[in-house]
Amino acid sequence: MKNIEETALLTVERQDFDSEIFGRPVYRLKVRGAKGLAEALSELVQSWVGQDIALCACRIPAADTDSVLALEAAGFRRIECLVTLTCDLAAWRIPVTGIDLATPADLAACIAIAGSAFSLDRLHADPFIPNEIADRQKEAWVRSGLAGGADRCFVVREAGLPVGFLLCRIVAGAAVADLLAVAPAHRRQGHGRRLIEAALAHYADDYPWLRLATQDGNLDAMAIYRRLGFRQTGAELTYHFTPPPA
């Protein structure tokens, strides 16, 4: 399969980052329109039979009932509902102390946190994907972020060592809280909230919004974000498909 294949209804694009982690091709599917979508998806998945493809992921608006029906009829499995939340930074001027910016010396500790802190994300939630691959994807995400892929990485420390981090990026003129993790042994201490507060304070002078996303079932995190002034601005469903063997 080419890196990008496109028709009137579908775009299939190879994801090089995830493909390297899985050791086999991973693709992202984008769908457009509803008329004829079920037939186009059926033809697509039939063309994948016997191919050495690890995964194809697709994300659609939660209200797009027609695409939901077409994806599920084609054998895609629903993994999560991802909620987008946005905070207006215009009035955010609360100073935050005790949060640092990561240094190269923090890389190993942040990678270790990433490899143990996640369970609700789409890769961990998919029973077809081994947890060790899902963990490795998060570790690689941190490694890439600290190598220059992130705009900032905030860290919270205990006894001088990182116990939590927040990677942030700048996307389309807005700050994005891209990946947040706190080591399991250090949760329920307010570290996650303080990391988000640090990002809000850091970006308030230069950007209008801070945006983030989380699973709709992550109720504790959703409650914290809303108390900080975030409001829901979108919801998308994530679907995965694993082609059957020949």
Side-chain angles (χ1 to χ4, degrees), residues 20 22 26 49 51 54 59 62-63 79 111-112 125 141 145 150 161 177 186 190-191:
E20 182 175 349
F22 277 76
V26 175
V49 173
Q51 292 198 40
R59 192 165 279 160
I79 302 299
I111 288 174
W141 195 334
L161 297 176
H186 298 273
H191 292 324

Side-chain angles (χ1 to χ4, degrees), residues 102-119:
T103 70
D106 296 321
L107 176 61
C110 290
I111 288 174
I113 294 168
S116 64
F118 293 94
S119 61

Side-chain angles (χ1 to χ4, degrees), residues 15 19 24 35 54 56 83 86 96-97 107 109 117 124 128 138 148 150 190 195 198-199 201 204 207 221 226:
Q15 304 297 293
S19 295
R24 292 186 292 148
K35 186 176 181 180
C56 180
V83 177
T86 302
V96 179
T97 60
L107 176 61
H124 285 92
F128 283 68
K138 290 296 188 292
L195 286 164
Y207 294 93
R226 288 192 171 114

Side-chain angles (χ1 to χ4, degrees), residues 28 56 79 93 128 139 185 189 210 216-217 235:
R28 174 165 293 178
C56 180
I79 302 299
R93 294 294 184 274
F128 283 68
E139 293 169 354
Q189 300 176 37
L210 180 71
D216 65 346

Side-chain angles (χ1 to χ4, degrees), residues 13-229:
E13 183 174 2
R14 180 180 172 121
Q15 304 297 293
D16 291 335
F17 181 83
D18 285 339
S19 295
E20 182 175 349
I21 294 161
F22 277 76
R24 292 186 292 148
V26 175
Y27 291 93
R28 174 165 293 178
L29 170 69
K30 295 181 181 179
V31 302
R32 297 180 296 277
K35 186 176 181 180
L37 179 59
E39 292 80 3
L41 285 169
S42 178
E43 292 177 6
L44 178 65
V45 300
Q46 286 298 318
S47 73
W48 283 341
V49 173
Q51 292 198 40
D52 188 26
I53 297 173
L55 179 70
C56 180
C58 181
R59 192 165 279 160
I60 61 171
D64 187 355
T65 305
D66 291 335
S67 293
V68 164
L69 294 174
L71 286 164
E72 293 181 355
F76 281 76
R77 55 191 183 275
R78 177 174 167 175
I79 302 299
E80 66 178 4
C81 179
L82 193 68
V83 177
T84 301
L85 301 111
T86 302
C87 185
D88 186 345
L89 296 179
W92 190 270
R93 294 294 184 274
I94 299 175
V96 179
T97 60
I99 303 293
D100 300 326
L101 291 177
T103 70
D106 296 321
L107 176 61
C110 290
I111 288 174
I113 294 168
S116 64
F118 293 94
S119 61
L120 298 177
D121 62 286
R122 67 181 180 91
L123 295 186
H124 285 92
D126 188 338
F128 283 68
I129 298 174
N131 281 339
E132 55 266 26
I133 290 180
D135 292 340
R136 196 156 65 236
Q137 192 253 15
K138 290 296 188 292
E139 293 169 354
W141 195 334
V142 171
R143 189 177 290 109
S144 174
L146 289 182
D151 178 67
R152 292 289 187 275
C153 179
F154 302 93
V155 294
V156 58
R157 304 179 190 275
E158 289 188 5
L161 297 176
V163 297
F165 67 83
L166 171 61
L167 291 175
C168 292
R169 297 185 300 135
I170 305 302
V171 180
V176 176
D178 196 38
L179 190 66
L180 170 67
V182 175
H186 298 273
R187 292 176 179 166
R188 304 288 179 181
Q189 300 176 37
H191 292 324
R193 177 183 179 124
R194 291 174 61 227
L195 286 164
I196 293 293
E197 288 175 339
L200 290 166
H202 177 84
Y203 290 112
D205 288 333
D206 299 312
Y207 294 93
W209 306 287
L210 180 71
R211 188 170 70 245
L212 54 80
T214 191
Q215 291 74 24
D216 65 346
N218 195 352
L219 300 181
D220 290 343
M222 293 272 285
I224 291 171
Y225 298 147
R226 288 192 171 114
R227 286 197 293 270
L228 288 173

